[in-house]
Amino acid sequence: MPNFREVDLADRFVRVLARLRGMAAPAPDRRWDQEAARARSDPGEIGWAVEVYSGAFLEAVPVPPLVGPLLDRLARRHALAILSNWPLATTIDRYVAAAGWDRHLRAIVVSQRVGTIKPHPAIFAAARAALGNPEPRRVLHAGDDWAADVVGAKSAGWLAAYITRRPADSPLPSSHRDGEVHADIEVESLAELEAALSR
């Protein structure tokens, strides 16, 4: 994370199996020898692990009922995209398709495909390009992590909407307001974003 690199989920599973099969993890300041780790597993079992993970994600994460209608209304006036830090882009694609959100989106930009995570400028540049390179000040990024979403968006010259309420059981890393940048909009939940935009 300090280098803002996304590690592909398949590569993560390679390392997990290598550890389970006796390979020592590198020191914190050293990179994995991915080839040596890969020698301790085969592509079939890595593919199986990735598929099990993806399927479990789709089963475990319910689709919020308010999001589909919200996207439908917003897409009538705005170009919409998903910009996500996630190590398996196909899971995001599958979730969006299963929810029926794909018809409302111009793009789905995921850190695994870009190779870097928010708040790095490269992932924001990739998202802007996927939207057709609009003026940065005409792009609003909404998210619930201060550093990744607010600091990242503002550093890219975008507008930022900070969603202040996160799920209590979220396993994702989070950061706190630093006072150096300010969100353009603050809402407790995504459901409040539409009214905030109209104001």
Side-chain angles (χ1 to χ4, degrees), residues 44-190:
E45 61 188 344
I46 298 301
W48 174 85
V50 167
E51 185 57 34
V52 167
Y53 165 88
S54 190
F57 182 96
L58 268 65
E59 288 180 20
V61 181
V63 175
L66 297 176
V67 174
L70 173 65
L71 294 178
D72 183 50
R73 293 189 301 273
L74 290 176
R76 295 174 197 165
R77 292 173 285 146
H78 307 285
L80 304 179
I82 288 177
L83 174 55
S84 175
N85 284 350
W86 207 253
L88 187 62
T90 57
T91 297
I92 303 297
D93 297 338
R94 291 170 65 187
Y95 187 85
V96 167
W101 300 346
D102 47 348
R103 66 182 180 273
H104 305 302
L105 301 174
R106 295 269 182 94
I108 300 174
V109 179
V110 182
S111 56
Q112 182 207 11
R113 290 191 182 114
V114 179
T116 190
I117 60 172
K118 298 180 287 182
H120 195 279
I123 194 167
F124 286 90
R128 185 170 163 244
L131 286 169
N133 289 308
E135 280 293 316
R137 289 289 301 167
R138 295 188 55 80
V139 182
L140 172 71
H141 178 63
D144 63 4
D145 182 87
W146 186 263
D149 298 313
V150 177
V151 174
K154 298 302 285 185
S155 296
W158 296 13
L159 301 172
Y162 183 43
I163 300 171
T164 60
R165 189 173 66 217
R166 288 176 62 110
D169 61 349
S170 174
L172 301 176
S174 64
S175 59
H176 301 285
R177 189 186 309 261
D178 61 9
E180 294 182 18
V181 299
H182 301 281
D184 299 284
I185 295 172
E186 290 198 25
V187 292
E188 279 196 8
S189 69
L190 191 61

Side-chain angles (χ1 to χ4, degrees), residues 22-33:
M23 184 174 180
D29 61 338
R30 307 281 305 214
R31 289 195 175 196
W32 274 86
D33 181 343

